[in-house]
Amino acid sequence: MAEKIVIVKSGYNALTESVPNNMIFSSDYNTLKYGTSGTVNLNYVTNNGIRTDTYTVTVTFSAGFSPVIFAYINDDSYFGGTGVYLPLPYHSQSIARAEDFQHFWDENVLTFQVTVSNGLAVGSPVSRTAHFKYFIFKNETGLV
Amino acid sequence: MIIYFDKKTGDIVGTVEGRIHDESHLGMWIGDKEQNDRIIVQYKAVKWYDKDGNEVPQNALDSEGHSVVYAADFEPQTEQKDLFVELDKKPAKIYKYKVDPKTKLLIAK
């Protein structure tokens, strides 16, 4: 029997368990290796006339490879209060405008982008802040 | 925690979370490099314990010359220690603060 490391959940036998879902860790399977996490704020404006505006902010991490990244958006003016996060990309549509919240990255830079497309000139410009949360893992996507 | 802020306004633009920041964290930057500055708050071990939970000196050894240090308590290295302990538990609360660009201390908005 090949040697390996297995850590099972409480109540399971580490010597005999074969179902991955019942394991905390197994050297038979790759795992997500946490690298770093953090938050980013991006200020943007809506109701800014009939136009499309794009806002960006970057996180430079210089991994040297394209990592696995998870990212989330919280905008307490839309999503029911602080503490409510949704995974990116997120699209918000109303009769007056569309807002796209997305992220993209390469081997060195993670970019958060908000695109606001105002279809109607309604009211005065409104300043908003998108709160993003990111997780950068040591796993490579292998896409670059 | 590493906090990136606008040099002129003190508004916080982003963070890198964690207690101990290695070279990969220190090499990161958020936003414009000319427009922003950052505060780096590292945690440091301040008390050391053996495997029975007894406090021991950092360099405590057993009779065979092996270290008996099994665990440690860590504290943030900043004059705003209590605040950063709270931020370590709830990182999103950082946005209730801004940075005084002169003192580089956090001030409530």
Side-chain angles (χ1 to χ4, degrees):
Chain A
M1 180 177 72
E3 290 185 345
K4 59 184 179 182
I5 298 173
V6 174
I7 303 172
V8 293
K9 296 178 182 177
S10 299
Y12 293 89
N13 185 330
L15 294 176
T16 59
E17 186 55 51
S18 60
V19 176
N21 195 48
N22 298 329
M23 302 172 188
I24 306 262
F25 174 83
S26 169
S27 54
D28 278 345
Y29 307 105
N30 200 358
T31 59
L32 274 177
K33 291 168 270 289
Y34 170 81
T36 188
S37 64
T39 59
V40 176
N41 268 6
L42 179 55
N43 298 320
Y44 64 102
V45 178
T46 62
N47 296 0
N48 205 22
I50 300 176
R51 52 188 282 168
T52 295
D53 293 311
T54 300
Y55 305 82
T56 61
V57 64
T58 57
V59 179
T60 303
F61 57 87
S62 300
F65 58 87
S66 178
V68 171
I69 292 181
F70 295 165
Y72 303 87
I73 169 86
N74 165 259
D75 184 331
D76 51 10
S77 50
Y78 287 131
F79 303 148
T82 55
V84 178
Y85 281 82
L86 294 172
L88 290 181
Y90 183 78
H91 176 78
S92 173
Q93 181 77 49
S94 70
I95 195 169
R97 67 178 175 272
E99 292 162 73
D100 285 289
F101 305 87
Q102 55 185 310
H103 68 307
F104 47 90
W105 66 98
D106 59 18
E107 298 177 325
N108 299 302
V109 179
L110 165 62
T111 300
F112 289 97
Q113 181 170 291
V114 178
T115 303
V116 182
S117 300
N118 299 290
L120 294 174
V122 178
S124 303
V126 177
S127 295
R128 298 187 186 276
T129 300
H131 307 287
F132 296 105
K133 176 83 182 219
Y134 65 88
F135 296 87
I136 302 175
F137 294 87
K138 295 290 190 183
N139 302 68
E140 298 185 40
T141 62
L143 295 175
V144 176
Chain B
M1 178 178 272
I2 304 176
I3 301 166
Y4 296 83
F5 62 94
D6 186 295
K7 281 183 198 176
K8 289 183 184 172
T9 65
D11 289 332
I12 294 173
V13 299
T15 64
V16 174
E17 293 162 0
R19 291 187 169 192
I20 295 177
H21 299 292
D22 60 14
E23 290 303 313
S24 66
H25 286 192
L26 296 175
M28 292 177 66
W29 198 269
I30 296 179
D32 188 292
K33 204 142 192 178
E34 300 302 317
Q35 188 174 334
N36 297 338
D37 197 355
R38 67 181 180 181
I39 303 170
I40 301 170
V41 176
Q42 296 270 25
Y43 271 59
K44 190 176 169 185
V46 294
K47 286 185 183 177
W48 298 265
Y49 303 91
D50 64 16
K51 63 179 180 181
D52 295 320
N54 302 310
E55 189 174 347
V56 296
Q58 181 182 6
N59 54 1
L61 303 174
D62 62 16
S63 57
E64 295 177 2
H66 301 132
S67 172
V68 299
V69 173
Y70 195 76
D73 284 341
F74 290 78
E75 285 183 357
Q77 300 303 294
T78 168
E79 60 185 272
Q80 296 182 296
K81 186 171 73 175
D82 291 341
L83 174 56
F84 275 87
V85 166
E86 288 307 305
L87 292 173
D88 184 62
K89 296 174 192 170
K90 296 264 189 185
K93 281 193 173 178
I94 188 67
Y95 295 104
K96 294 186 187 295
Y97 298 87
K98 56 191 292 183
V99 176
D100 181 324
K102 289 183 184 170
T103 64
K104 290 202 180 179
L105 295 175
L106 294 179
I107 52 178
K109 282 186 179 175

